[in-house]
Amino acid sequence: MKHAASAFADTLNAFDGMALPPAAYSVMAEHRERCVAKWVRLGASQNIGEAKADAALAGYKAVAHLCESPIEHLALIAIATTVLPNTDIPRIYNMRGGPVRPSGAVIVAPQMPIARYRLDFIIRVRNGDSVTAHALESDGVQNHTERADKDADAVRDGFLAHMGIETRRLTGAEIYRHPERIQSWIVSLAEGCA
């Protein structure tokens, strides 16, 4: 799984920020989709079987169009292929896709609006009778290096904390190099350890 994740990250890195002719974008999308499918198959099917690997890929495909950057795509793939302690996978929900919400121990919604903010990912975790909410933010270099950006992030994180939502921030480099950290974090949330 590590090798496939690295190959996928390399693919995203190769295309990220490149000025490509219009015809190249369709080729890029097809190549990215093949990498996604390979990564999901290698990652999820080893641990949870073919049916859940297919469900992980379907979950990714249902919301991939909502991702706004390559690092969000990679974070979503890591989320989709997380194997929970009960050998289940997170349920991915498109907030814009309809009123029916999936059931499960871990539900993830990308691009979730909360007040005046839009979260990259919100993760709802149910442990018995307890339900917690967590935000995962993928911070790219272009929007999170200046002091004013960091101050705005701190205000946002404080607002979310006041609402009971813990925020986890990962840089683009962290997500590219170590997507398994997202998986470990989600597992620890599901186990009630985080």
Side-chain angles (χ1 to χ4, degrees):
M1 185 165 96
K2 179 89 167 147
H3 176 69
S6 297
F8 184 74
D10 291 344
T11 300
L12 291 178
N13 278 329
F15 292 117
D16 189 22
M18 288 179 61
L20 298 173
Y25 285 104
S26 63
V27 173
M28 179 182 85
E30 289 173 22
H31 183 63
R32 190 175 285 186
E33 190 64 29
R34 282 195 304 276
C35 290
V36 168
K38 180 179 179 184
W39 198 84
V40 170
R41 292 254 177 229
L42 287 174
S45 64
Q46 291 174 353
N47 298 309
I48 59 176
E50 205 63 27
K52 288 187 181 172
D54 288 342
L57 182 57
Y60 168 80
K61 286 182 176 180
V63 299
H65 66 282
L66 299 176
C67 293
E68 296 180 341
S69 70
I71 59 173
E72 286 181 20
H73 277 279
L74 190 55
L76 179 60
I77 293 164
I79 291 166
T81 57
T82 298
V83 180
L84 301 172
N86 60 358
T87 68
D88 200 0
I89 57 174
R91 303 293 190 253
I92 300 174
Y93 175 62
N94 179 353
M95 287 296 298
R96 302 171 195 161
V100 179
R101 294 185 183 185
S103 62
V106 177
I107 298 174
V108 179
Q111 300 303 320
M112 174 75 169
I114 303 242
R116 66 178 185 258
Y117 300 111
R118 190 177 64 220
L119 310 181
D120 290 346
F121 300 95
I122 190 153
I123 302 165
R124 190 209 75 183
V125 179
R126 180 180 298 279
N127 283 315
D129 294 334
S130 171
V131 176
T132 57
H134 309 269
L136 175 62
E137 291 293 313
S138 53
D139 295 342
V141 174
Q142 66 278 13
N143 296 324
H144 298 277
T145 55
E146 300 296 321
R147 182 72 191 160
D149 298 327
K150 291 181 181 191
D151 291 344
D153 288 344
V155 169
R156 174 185 172 129
D157 294 352
F159 173 80
L160 293 173
H162 183 71
M163 294 183 64
I165 301 171
E166 168 207 339
T167 302
R168 171 99 185 230
R169 292 187 172 277
L170 294 175
T171 66
E174 288 173 308
I175 293 170
Y176 279 135
R177 291 186 188 115
H178 304 288
E180 71 279 358
R181 289 182 183 169
I182 295 171
Q183 295 173 321
S184 299
W185 177 60
I186 292 174
V187 167
S188 68
L189 294 175
E191 292 176 333
C193 301

